[in-house]
Amino acid sequence: KLVELNIAEKPIEKIHNSDIFKYSPYKSLSPDQIESLVGILDALVDNKVKTLLVEGEAGTGKSVLAIFLFKLLHSNLDELELGDFLEEEMILREYLIKFKKKYPEPRMALVVPMASFRSTLKRAFRNIAGLSPKMVIGPAELSQQDYDIVLVDESHRLRKRKNLGSYFGRFDQICEQFNLDRHAHSEVDWVCHRSKKAVFFYDPKQSIKPSDANSGDFQRIRADINTKEQKLVSQFRVNAGGSYAEFISDLLNVTVDEGHVFHSPGYEFALFENIDGLVQAIRAHDQDHGLARLVAGYSWPWLSQKDPEAFDIQIENTQLRWNSNTKDWINSEGSINEVGCIHTTQGYDLNYAGVIFGREIDFDPASESIVIHRNLYHDRNGRAGIEEPDDLKRYIFNIYQTLLMRGIRGTLVYAVNPELRSYLKRHIPRAG
């Protein structure tokens, strides 16, 4: 209505789909986000606390909380509007007064390990008063200066010295600069080395490849007496709520109760018998709502990277291509006609996700378990150096769990392998 009256430029749905809205620091926080915010502020003014670990699964609002905190700490006290916090307003204001005395002009950075998501957040920071894209950096940029406070979003994607390709040289150089053993330390240690206070936003279930920092790095932080922990549990992304997240975990681990089929009012969750049905449904949703994308496990080689005319994915009579670019693919032109992988979708919101279970993941009816075909998993850096089958299975489970948690309004599913499709039919409503 406001658009019709020439008062607003964009309809509400277009605003909801924009990165500026999704990563806005002006949103109301949930009770557990507010509790974590108070806990973080307490730690930032406590001289005994060096590190904070804020743990939460996909969709619990870690990125929004990180950006909210970043904006809050860069706001003038006389400009603060904290009425939304009711009983917490005075507590927050007191903490902020202490923080401003301790850090009058704080040197801060938001470290984002994934290049694609980092470019998206840089664009969001460009549109937030008082913030700058230069405040969003990659881990290697920590080599350039010390910081009072470093926040790390998606910290489970910080890297260690494994399967780094052309990045090996830079990694070794920075470890040498910090006088760290390159074989025993990771980018997690770089953050701690370069900051007076470090805040890690972390989800162990989103570690997806061998180059990701070891869980032991975060366990070591957790065990340190100078570390404080916070937990986020409310589900914000997926309209089906926390019960959906629990169901997805149980589904992949084959622990769903026999006969249970997941339903949630207002959330479209469906299994397709053929790939063409999935493709058409996602395109229709994109036409109606925007931000509907196909995503898949990495079980086809990326032929179109060298030959743009080649098709990467052949399923039944349908031919598809992988994402034609790796930076901000979700929002790029033509992405509705492509298939995104985990590297171009992790961290992002979609209205509808069309998840293709690829050739590498299957179901064994004899053992009643999901199995992995290593030779059909084509992320070379994702499998190189993995000796134990269970380790590769864990990474691939994390990939699919992450993909299945992208859709705000719905998740549509197709499985290439018939046995896996038969298993999913037990617990996912059928499309149509």
Side-chain angles (χ1 to χ4, degrees):
K1 185 66 176 177
L2 293 174
V3 172
E4 291 174 8
L5 295 171
N6 293 320
I7 294 172
E9 293 182 2
K10 299 177 182 178
I12 192 69
E13 193 160 73
K14 197 156 190 174
I15 293 171
H16 281 165
N17 288 344
S18 70
D19 292 330
I20 297 171
F21 175 81
K22 289 182 183 298
Y23 306 110
S24 167
Y26 302 108
K27 292 182 177 178
S28 297
L29 300 184
S30 71
D32 62 316
Q33 282 179 314
I34 293 173
E35 183 180 339
S36 289
L37 179 66
V38 172
I40 293 169
L41 289 171
D42 180 72
L44 292 178
V45 298
D46 186 343
N47 292 329
K48 297 177 182 177
V49 177
K50 162 69 176 170
T51 311
L52 295 93
L53 197 60
V54 184
E55 190 168 328
E57 295 186 0
T60 52
K62 298 184 296 298
S63 297
V64 169
L65 179 57
I67 295 168
F68 188 100
L69 175 66
F70 214 96
K71 170 61 177 173
L72 187 67
L73 297 180
H74 282 83
S75 299
N76 294 324
L77 288 170
D78 55 354
E79 297 175 353
L80 285 176
E81 294 287 345
L82 299 173
D84 285 349
F85 292 94
L86 301 176
E87 64 266 25
E88 292 91 357
E89 178 178 0
M90 290 305 299
I91 298 172
L92 287 174
R93 197 170 289 278
E94 287 173 10
Y95 275 127
L96 287 168
I97 290 170
K98 291 179 183 178
F99 177 82
K100 294 291 184 181
K101 287 182 179 178
K102 191 176 180 68
Y103 304 104
E105 295 183 6
R107 289 172 297 169
M108 291 181 60
L110 176 62
V111 172
V112 183
M114 302 104 75
S116 178
F117 193 45
R118 183 164 65 245
S119 66
T120 299
L121 291 189
K122 278 180 175 289
R123 189 167 60 250
F125 268 49
R126 187 176 292 116
N127 291 281
I128 299 171
L131 302 186
S132 162
K134 294 179 181 179
M135 296 172 172
V136 182
I137 66 173
E141 293 174 82
L142 289 166
S143 64
Q144 297 175 11
Q145 70 173 87
D146 291 317
Y147 292 91
D148 295 313
I149 298 158
V150 172
L151 279 61
V152 188
D153 196 16
E154 307 282 347
S155 63
H156 37 271
R157 297 305 317 280
L158 292 169
R159 289 170 289 185
K160 61 177 179 286
R161 196 184 190 277
K162 189 166 186 175
N163 298 357
L164 295 180
S166 61
Y167 188 57
F168 270 118
R170 185 73 174 127
F171 184 92
D172 291 351
Q173 182 185 37
I174 295 173
C175 281
E176 184 177 354
Q177 177 185 338
F178 294 162
N179 198 27
L180 298 172
D181 182 343
R182 61 187 179 180
H183 298 291
H185 293 86
S186 70
E187 291 175 344
V188 175
D189 300 289
W190 298 2
V191 174
C192 297
H193 186 81
R194 274 305 206 195
S195 60
K196 293 177 182 177
K197 302 269 188 179
V199 184
F200 294 94
F201 293 87
Y202 176 61
D203 179 7
K205 293 182 180 179
Q206 290 195 63
S207 176
I208 61 162
K209 59 198 303 186
S211 59
D212 291 345
N214 294 325
S215 60
D217 292 347
F218 295 98
Q219 290 168 4
R220 187 172 65 251
I221 289 172
R222 184 179 278 112
D224 194 301
I225 59 171
N226 297 313
T227 294
K228 185 173 181 177
E229 291 184 74
Q230 298 291 146
K231 188 85 171 178
L232 295 171
V233 295
S234 299
Q235 178 56 235
F236 290 100
R237 178 183 295 126
V238 178
N239 288 345
S243 60
Y244 175 80
E246 292 175 12
F247 168 79
I248 292 301
S249 178
D250 290 342
L251 183 71
L252 294 172
N253 288 286
V254 196
T255 56
V256 181
D257 292 340
E258 190 62 38
H260 174 65
V261 178
F262 185 88
H263 293 277
S264 178
Y267 194 75
E268 186 177 349
F269 186 46
L271 177 70
F272 283 75
E273 289 281 2
N274 61 79
I275 185 65
D276 189 57
L278 175 69
V279 172
Q280 295 307 318
I282 287 297
R283 288 177 179 171
H285 280 314
D286 189 64
Q287 187 73 29
D288 293 339
H289 305 286
L291 285 183
R293 299 290 182 270
L294 293 169
V295 296
Y298 211 148
S299 64
W300 294 271
W302 192 7
L303 303 177
S304 61
Q305 183 181 25
K306 294 183 178 178
D307 179 7
E309 299 301 315
F311 287 97
D312 305 296
I313 300 169
Q314 173 84 44
I315 305 172
E316 300 163 2
N317 295 319
T318 299
Q319 293 179 311
L320 299 164
R321 292 188 179 94
W322 283 119
N323 42 265
S324 56
N325 63 69
T326 56
K327 286 194 176 182
D328 199 24
W329 170 77
I330 294 287
N331 298 302
S332 65
E333 186 177 351
S335 55
I336 183 58
N337 298 314
E338 299 172 346
V339 180
C341 67
I342 184 64
H343 306 305
T344 52
T345 54
Q346 191 171 23
Y348 287 92
D349 291 346
L350 294 170
N351 284 325
Y352 291 90
V355 180
I356 302 170
F357 280 83
R359 303 177 302 164
E360 88 287 14
I361 185 166
D362 208 344
F363 185 79
D364 178 15
S367 63
E368 280 284 303
S369 65
I370 289 180
V371 294
I372 299 300
H373 304 305
R374 182 189 178 101
N375 62 317
L376 294 176
Y377 184 56
H378 286 277
D379 187 345
R380 285 175 295 177
N381 289 331
R383 73 181 188 192
I386 297 178
E387 303 298 334
E388 296 296 325
D390 283 349
D391 289 341
L392 181 60
K393 185 175 183 178
R394 175 171 54 85
Y395 284 125
I396 291 176
F397 271 28
N398 285 355
I399 287 170
Y400 280 103
Q401 183 148 319
T402 301
L403 294 177
L404 289 160
M405 293 298 297
R406 296 301 98 192
I408 297 169
R409 296 169 179 253
T411 301
L412 310 182
V413 177
Y414 173 80
V416 172
N417 291 316
E419 293 290 359
L420 179 59
R421 208 179 314 141
S422 295
Y423 164 66
L424 296 178
K425 283 180 188 176
R426 302 182 199 172
H427 306 296
I428 302 177
R430 299 186 197 186

